[in-house]
Amino acid sequence: MYTLKPSFSKTLFLKSPHLRSSFKPQLFPSTGKHLSFSITCKLKTSKDGKSKGLAKKIVLSEGAPAVSDDGAGNGEGQPKPANKGGGAGGGGFGGSVKRFPRKVLSVLSNLPLAIGEMFSVAALMALGTAIDQGEAPNFYFQKFPEDNPVLGFFTWRWVLTLGFDHMFSSPIFLGMLTLLATSLMACTYTTQIPLVKVARRWNFLHSAKDIRKQQFSESLPKASVQDLGVVLMGAGYEVFLKGPSLYAFKGLAGRFAPIGVHLAMLLIMVGGTLSATGSFRGSVTVPQGLNFVLGDVLSPSGFLSTPTKAFDTEVHVNTFYMDYYDSGEVLQFHTDLSLFDLDGKELMRKTISVNDPLRFDGITIYQTDWSFSALQILRDGEGPFNLAMAPLKINGDKKLFGTFLPVGDSDSPNVKGISMLARDLQSIVLYDKEGKFAGVRRPNSKLPIDIDGTRIVIEDAIGSTGLELKTDPGVPIVYAGFGALMLTTCISYLSHTQIWALQDGTTVVIGGKTNRAKLEFPDEMDRLLDHVPEVVESSSPSKQSDAISG
């Protein structure tokens, strides 16, 4: 036999002459959290005298007590309702399915796992920096040969098979980033958000014993908890009073900051992934006066790369010129560019230089290099002729360009002529057909020079501009992520401090704790408590009169 001992947190009284109920509780062994009753009510109306039956199933309380046994064999032989989960306590397949996401979140939010993921991402980034990216397969065949592997095992097969030649868009790198992002979200959901919810609650302590268990505790005799609240409010605390109890806190933003840090890191990873898989890049060297189309230069870098209408824009190189130091070294180089649409309408014009790019509709054009395209000369008063300048390899990083003007029979197997060399666009050095130095001339100087019976005038030096083009939709996201990361990291250093107090007679019992600056916290509390005024009891009028008469 079972005994019902209900304990309800709220009592509901039904006072109506028209409502009659038949209350038939069914007693079962305790198998769950809910206690259910079947109540059938009949409502009589005054018009027709008919009754309508209303059936309701009411759950009284989640915390209803279990039905205890009366000593009759622990309830054996009594009917037991079947469990829906197919097992005891709501277990079975249904319970396992419900518990599965929590188990996965628990594993993903594990701190050692997240640290390992971060180190793995850092190692892959370092490897991607060490290995040249985006080169042709022949480059890796030569740099990582199988007959002489790096570290005894690393060859070109590792590079090309695992996608290390395009590391930041390779599946292994993107997969590791995804795993790290999942761990961050799991940690935020299972740890940081619950901490914030707890911190936002007004938690009053009604026991002096509980208050004295805090990191800091003190007792103020002859003090008022209201006066303490005023002092705390002046120190920037949010103060709440409930009878003799006080609760105060400050620095709640410090609890939100870890969530912001996680979101900022997610932004950085999303932006970096979008840059690696959704951008376009390209480079081109264009002589002065020529054109090129943006779409012909830009190449996709990943599977999310999508061209836009701006790719049909034509770029015209108006002029290219350089600035020099007094020593003759190149200081800066500039390119005057014009952008035209398909109808030939100029959309934009700008002179770019190093660290001063052109930006148009998501496409950025950088000035990165220069070259010597052609030398324009007059020969014996005829011309002008354009002689192509070729780059010459020499020791060191200095640039050197050269060209050749045949003299005599150009069909001869041993043709000879005048050589012209230049390091920049300022001056041209000339040599005769025997290879002897003949002189130096500046372009546009109009000063002729006679070599081997040929009069030469250097009309102009035509340079080529080296341009780097790219579209990177992830850059704004990465910048926003780093900005948020710096801000939330600074906010996370704010201490979240909580203080409790209880008026115990004429004494105020005070306790508090903080999550940061724990060494300075007692000194701060002592300074605050020193400002709490002492309550002085006033004497009664009878005592004052007795004192005067005496």
Side-chain angles (χ1 to χ4, degrees), residues 120-331:
S120 299
V121 171
L124 290 174
M125 293 176 66
L127 190 60
T129 304
I131 298 175
D132 297 272
Q133 300 291 296
E135 300 291 342
N138 289 332
F139 174 84
Y140 302 104
F141 294 158
Q142 297 176 6
K143 192 165 185 178
F144 304 100
E146 290 186 311
D147 55 353
N148 186 22
V150 179
L151 301 178
F153 70 94
F154 194 83
T155 65
W156 60 267
R157 293 185 182 275
W158 288 82
V159 177
L160 299 182
T161 302
L162 298 178
F164 289 168
D165 56 330
H166 51 278
M167 173 66 77
F168 303 105
S169 60
S170 63
I172 186 171
F173 183 80
L174 296 179
M176 191 57 64
L177 273 185
T178 302
L179 185 59
L180 177 58
T182 306
S183 293
L184 284 175
M185 290 187 288
C187 178
T188 302
Y189 179 76
T190 60
T191 304
Q192 300 301 333
I193 293 180
L195 285 176
V196 171
K197 289 182 178 179
V198 171
R200 293 182 63 186
R201 295 173 184 167
W202 301 354
N203 184 17
F204 293 94
L205 297 181
H206 303 284
S207 169
K209 183 179 179 181
D210 292 336
I211 294 178
R212 290 190 175 97
K213 291 180 181 179
Q214 304 303 318
Q215 294 176 4
F216 172 87
S217 63
E218 186 63 81
S219 297
L220 286 181
K222 297 182 180 180
S224 170
V225 70
Q226 287 83 5
D227 294 336
L228 174 63
V230 173
V231 172
L232 293 176
M233 287 178 65
Y237 284 82
E238 296 285 339
V239 180
F240 305 93
L241 284 171
K242 184 179 180 182
S245 300
L246 176 146
Y247 172 67
F249 72 89
K250 73 173 182 179
L252 186 60
R255 285 294 190 185
F256 283 94
I259 299 177
V261 170
H262 288 182
L263 293 178
M265 294 179 66
L266 289 174
L267 275 179
I268 294 172
M269 288 188 284
V270 169
T273 302
L274 188 58
S275 295
T277 60
S279 61
F280 287 83
R281 299 179 186 275
S283 59
V284 62
T285 301
V286 186
Q288 176 178 302
L290 297 186
N291 305 337
F292 67 93
V293 178
L294 292 176
D296 295 339
V297 177
L298 291 168
S299 300
S301 62
F303 59 92
L304 295 179
S305 300
T306 305
T308 63
K309 289 184 177 180
F311 281 46
D312 296 329
T313 304
E314 186 178 62
V315 181
H316 178 72
V317 180
N318 299 315
T319 57
F320 173 76
Y321 60 96
M322 296 191 292
D323 299 331
Y324 301 91
Y325 290 104
D326 295 337
S327 61
E329 297 291 330
V330 176
L331 170 63

